[in-house]
Amino acid sequence: MSCPDCFRGETWVGQPSGSESTIHGLRTYIAKPADGAVPRGLIIFITDALGMEFVNNKLLCDAYAKKGQFLVYCPDFMDGHAVDTKIIQLMNSMKTDPAVAAEAGAMMTKWRANTTMEITHPRVVSFLQQIRCSPPPFATDDLKVGVAGFCWGGKHAFLLAHDAPSSRIVRHGDASKQPQALVDCAWTAHPSMLEIPADAKAVQLPLSVVVGGEDVNFTADKQKQVKEILEKDKAGAGHEVIIMTEKGASHGFAVRMDPDDADMVLRAQEAEELALKWFGKWLVA
């Protein structure tokens, strides 16, 4: 289950520079590289509980696109059921006004009911299958696709990294006609809802996991277990687990950090740099 920290954080100030369109049936926020540069790969951004309309998610998509020179798609995989951003204010107010707990709890319950993995992951798989069997969205002979998942989206990143044979598809223009994985790599920050050790043991594709030592959801014992499975038991497969032990790396820090907290800002910047480095490694020939 998701934890209360999945709904806490701060809303960033900024004006997203991307656009919105419907791609394969889903409303999608699109962030492109600066100055019309040809993208170095495609990143599918899978959000936290706040969804594709949350300004933080759009700004982070913009950063990946501009700093990494990637095309970034952030689809509405929740199909309109993202939790209202009002919940951030409610969660922050609970410290001084316990009366808001009931309202926040009702919002969380409604969100959970509409965004289970059983409901949403088939939507994620279908979207990626259509991406793979369609002409590339930019000029390339070998479209590389990565996925970035945050909190709720982190579970999807793990599932995609499992590379279930039933999800594979023949990629557009592939003369071999052999079904292949939907993504080339996955990256996630402070993932939620994991089943440990099962979700780690099933990972097949290159996966990077970034988590904070202060994370009360993805606890230290689980972090250690996942790190041992991915980096030792599956050594040589390209996986990594980065545990940030410095102050400021609480659950949600990569996408909902407090701009007024210098430690959190540093941790968020580090996570962004790690993501861009990871995608540069696996998506760029």
Side-chain angles (χ1 to χ4, degrees):
M1 289 292 290
S2 55
C3 69
D5 278 357
C6 290
F7 307 93
R8 291 194 176 101
E10 298 295 333
T11 302
W12 302 343
V13 175
Q15 183 62 46
S17 60
S19 60
E20 185 179 313
S21 184
T22 298
I23 299 178
H24 301 307
L26 294 181
R27 287 191 314 123
T28 303
Y29 180 75
I30 304 168
K32 298 179 179 180
D35 302 322
V38 177
R40 302 195 301 161
L42 173 63
I43 296 174
I44 307 300
F45 190 108
I46 309 183
T47 71
D48 60 354
L50 283 298
M52 66 159 282
E53 294 291 357
F54 186 38
V55 65
N56 296 21
N57 288 324
K58 290 183 176 181
L59 291 173
L60 198 50
C61 286
D62 291 346
Y64 285 10
K66 301 299 188 295
K67 296 178 182 180
Q69 197 177 315
F70 295 109
L71 175 62
V72 184
Y73 286 170
C74 181
D76 180 16
F77 288 129
M78 298 183 198
D79 196 27
H81 294 290
V83 70
D84 193 311
T85 55
K86 178 184 177 183
I87 199 161
I88 290 181
Q89 179 184 349
L90 293 176
M91 296 301 288
N92 291 339
S93 298
M94 283 173 59
K95 300 174 184 177
T96 56
D97 184 7
V100 305
E103 183 178 358
M107 292 174 69
M108 287 187 274
T109 298
K110 181 180 179 181
W111 172 80
R112 291 186 182 111
N114 289 298
T115 59
T116 64
M117 290 298 115
E118 290 77 14
I119 294 173
T120 57
H121 195 64
R123 192 177 293 142
V124 172
V125 169
S126 175
F127 182 87
L128 279 161
Q129 287 177 331
Q130 292 179 80
I131 288 289
R132 281 305 194 185
C133 66
S134 301
F138 55 87
T140 178
D141 294 327
D142 183 19
L143 178 64
K144 297 293 186 182
V145 179
V147 60
F150 301 81
C151 297
W152 176 85
K155 173 71 172 186
H156 288 288
F158 262 82
L159 293 176
L160 290 169
H162 291 175
D163 185 23
S166 60
S167 71
R168 295 175 185 171
I169 197 166
V170 176
R171 297 182 179 182
H172 177 80
D174 184 0
S176 74
K177 303 299 181 182
Q178 294 298 312
Q180 297 185 56
L182 297 180
V183 298
D184 295 286
C185 70
W187 183 92
T188 176
H190 38 77
S192 296
M193 305 168 67
L194 298 180
E195 296 179 27
I196 305 299
D199 275 334
K201 288 183 176 180
V203 169
Q204 301 296 324
L205 304 177
L207 173 67
S208 176
V209 182
V210 177
V211 63
E214 301 173 13
D215 197 317
V216 298
N217 180 34
F218 194 170
T219 55
D221 58 328
K222 293 179 180 178
Q223 293 174 18
K224 180 180 179 181
Q225 198 172 4
V226 170
K227 188 175 182 68
E228 183 167 325
I229 292 170
L230 294 183
E231 293 189 351
K232 293 183 180 180
D233 296 352
K234 294 176 175 286
H239 314 307
E240 64 179 20
V241 178
I242 298 173
I243 301 172
M244 293 186 174
T245 57
E246 302 87 351
K247 186 178 179 181
S250 57
H251 189 73
F253 73 92
V255 73
R256 297 188 304 277
M257 62 80 180
D258 182 352
D260 294 324
D261 185 319
D263 291 315
M264 289 193 75
V265 170
L266 282 174
R267 302 294 85 78
Q269 290 174 342
E270 290 169 2
E272 182 183 302
E273 291 167 1
L274 288 167
L276 292 176
K277 181 179 179 181
W278 181 256
F279 291 124
K281 175 181 179 179
W282 293 101
L283 301 186
V284 181

